[in-house]
Amino acid sequence: MTVAAPPESAPATPRADAELVVAPVTITPTKPLTPTHVKGLLWTDVLVKASSRLGPVRLVWNNRMATVTTQSTAFWHHLDRTEPGTDWATLTATDIGERYVRYHAGRPRTDPRALHDYLARADSAGWIHPAGRRMLDLWRADLRLLGVADPGLALDRPLATGAPAVLARLADRGLLIDHRRHGGPVHLDGTRWGLPLRRLVGSDGHPNYLLPILRELIPMIRPDRTFLLVCDDDLAADYVLLDRVLGAFGARVARLSLSRVPLAGSTRSSRYGGWRGATLGDLSAESGTADRAAYRLGMRLYFTGTLQRRSAQSFRLPLLRRCVGRAARLLDRAPAGARDAPADRHLEETLARLRTGPGYVDPYRLTTSLLGRRPLPPTPHLRAIYT
């Protein structure tokens, strides 16, 4: 009898010296960063910074996990076909993102043969379309202002192993249904866990987005590591399967699934639009009297504290502004360079108490600890996590 996987995995308590490997869901550089993206990035940022005070943490980010995909390359092929002379370096994230929305609204049908070269160049040489490079540059500027450490947006490195090698390893463990010799697709087989088949490679030879992720993560598996997979709820089923597959190779895996942030009550994918005026670039351009530290802390109070992990409330700019104002008042309570040994000890004790079984500090519980009747004082160590 097979039993469906639970909503969240719960691995045994890791060794004290185990490395936490945080692998957030990939974001294709085809659109601006929306509130859903910002929520995921800030949860990950707070989690990594706080957890690293208790033990070793590694953040996994490789641009090729997002660019060696049909989602990215099909859009870039469309841009080359329709706008061969456009100077992408002069456009805004909204300009490029609106093209992405129009592309999907046109119900595109791309000849798979036209994408072979795009995927091959992205995989073998790290090629990214000029529109994608422009988007990555704009993301870097927005994240720098937000205080999120650059995970490697300007770096290029090959995926940890090739597609044939990973497919062979999956086949050795009975995790593939492979119809390539008949001209068909390759499916990831999770039926032993009560999970449906998931296409991994199409009959056209093009990879599903899960294949680059597996190519990066499977070679990283070691007994002294715990993997934390961070995704949004719409991808939860894929990430349950990813969890089980990594576990079949001996990995210790946990998952953190976050709800999307609705815009005017809608949680549609960013490819359908509706994000104008609410992108990270739009938010950073909002006028106000708060300084950079208050902006950074206020954004985290809103996206990790107010919205919570499972919040269904729509994005509300007035509430975000109030969080930034509250952040300014919190920061005024202690000078930026003030040292307070008892407060720092209290912070370390709080982080240890909020550490979950898989080994990461819960960002929501930590953030709300700033706002209670006896809030944590904004010492330099705490500021380093939030600003």
Side-chain angles (χ1 to χ4, degrees):
M1 176 179 176
T2 56
V3 180
E8 298 293 337
S9 56
T13 302
R15 288 168 27 187
D17 60 345
E19 181 180 48
L20 179 67
V21 178
V22 182
V25 65
T26 58
I27 308 173
T28 60
T30 54
K31 64 271 185 177
L33 296 172
T34 68
T36 292
H37 297 131
V38 175
K39 179 179 179 179
L41 288 164
L42 288 179
W43 270 74
T44 301
D45 183 67
V46 172
L47 184 153
V48 167
K49 290 176 179 175
S51 302
S52 63
R53 296 196 63 82
L54 301 178
V57 179
R58 178 191 298 256
L59 176 65
V60 177
W61 187 283
N62 187 329
N63 284 329
R64 297 194 197 188
M65 289 194 290
T67 58
V68 185
T69 61
T70 302
Q71 183 179 352
S72 293
T73 55
F75 174 56
W76 294 338
H77 171 264
H78 165 77
L79 294 181
D80 282 346
R81 184 173 56 83
T82 58
E83 299 187 53
T86 299
D87 181 2
W88 300 104
T90 65
L91 300 188
T92 67
T94 296
D95 293 333
I96 298 171
E98 287 181 339
R99 284 166 168 81
Y100 185 66
V101 172
R102 291 196 296 270
Y103 163 71
H104 282 285
R107 299 180 181 273
R109 288 189 176 183
T110 305
D111 182 350
R113 293 171 296 183
L115 298 186
H116 288 339
D117 180 57
Y118 283 76
L119 286 164
R121 282 190 291 158
D123 196 357
S124 64
W127 173 83
I128 299 176
H129 190 277
R133 290 202 174 278
R134 172 61 172 166
M135 191 66 77
L136 289 173
D137 288 342
L138 294 167
W139 287 2
R140 288 174 65 206
D142 288 338
L143 293 179
R144 186 164 51 247
L145 181 61
L146 188 56
V148 173
D150 186 346
L153 297 176
L155 301 178
D156 174 59
R157 60 181 175 83
L159 293 166
T161 194
V166 161
L167 292 173
R169 294 184 68 179
L170 291 166
D172 287 345
R173 283 168 171 74
L175 292 169
L176 288 188
I177 296 180
D178 190 346
H179 292 293
R180 283 178 292 177
R181 67 174 180 265
H182 306 297
V186 179
H187 285 92
L188 202 53
D189 183 5
T191 54
R192 69 183 69 177
W193 302 297
L195 303 173
L197 297 177
R198 183 66 164 96
R199 188 177 65 185
L200 197 59
V201 181
S203 56
D204 52 17
H206 297 169
N208 170 273
Y209 81 101
L210 290 175
L211 184 56
I213 296 173
L214 289 168
R215 289 174 57 187
E216 185 74 1
L217 297 186
I218 286 177
M220 295 181 66
I221 295 173
R222 293 190 338 207
D224 60 346
R225 283 177 171 162
T226 298
F227 289 80
L228 177 64
L229 308 177
V230 184
C231 70
D232 66 60
D233 282 344
D234 281 15
L235 300 176
D238 278 350
Y239 271 71
V240 169
L241 181 56
L242 185 59
D243 175 341
R244 295 302 184 263
V245 170
L246 294 175
F249 284 89
R252 185 193 305 273
V253 186
R255 284 175 284 110
L256 178 60
S257 170
L258 304 172
S259 61
R260 291 193 169 197
V261 181
L263 294 172
S266 173
T267 55
R268 297 183 303 170
S269 167
S270 55
R271 71 182 61 180
Y272 300 114
W275 36 255
R276 179 181 272 276
T279 69
L280 181 55
D282 295 325
L283 300 181
S284 64
E286 281 284 320
S287 60
T289 59
D291 62 14
R292 181 174 297 190
Y295 164 70
R296 291 174 173 179
L297 176 56
M299 290 284 279
R300 287 159 175 79
L301 293 182
Y302 180 70
F303 282 101
T304 67
T306 302
L307 291 187
Q308 308 178 35
R309 189 163 71 97
R310 291 274 186 251
S311 175
Q313 65 173 284
S314 290
F315 174 73
R316 296 163 59 192
L317 184 57
L319 183 53
L320 172 58
R321 288 196 181 111
R322 288 201 291 273
C323 286
V324 173
R326 187 168 190 178
R329 293 191 293 274
L330 287 172
L331 293 171
D332 283 344
R333 287 172 26 208
R339 309 302 300 182
D340 188 336
D344 285 337
R345 285 196 298 272
H346 180 41
L347 172 61
E348 299 301 319
E349 292 168 357
T350 300
L351 294 177
R353 177 170 51 83
L354 299 181
R355 192 181 192 186
T356 64
Y360 67 89
V361 175
D362 185 318
Y364 171 71
R365 294 179 64 200
L366 179 60
T367 302
T368 55
S369 72
L370 302 176
L371 306 173
R373 291 183 178 179
R374 300 180 62 186
L376 291 171
T379 64
H381 289 164
L382 187 61
R383 287 172 181 260
I385 295 174
Y386 280 92
T387 64

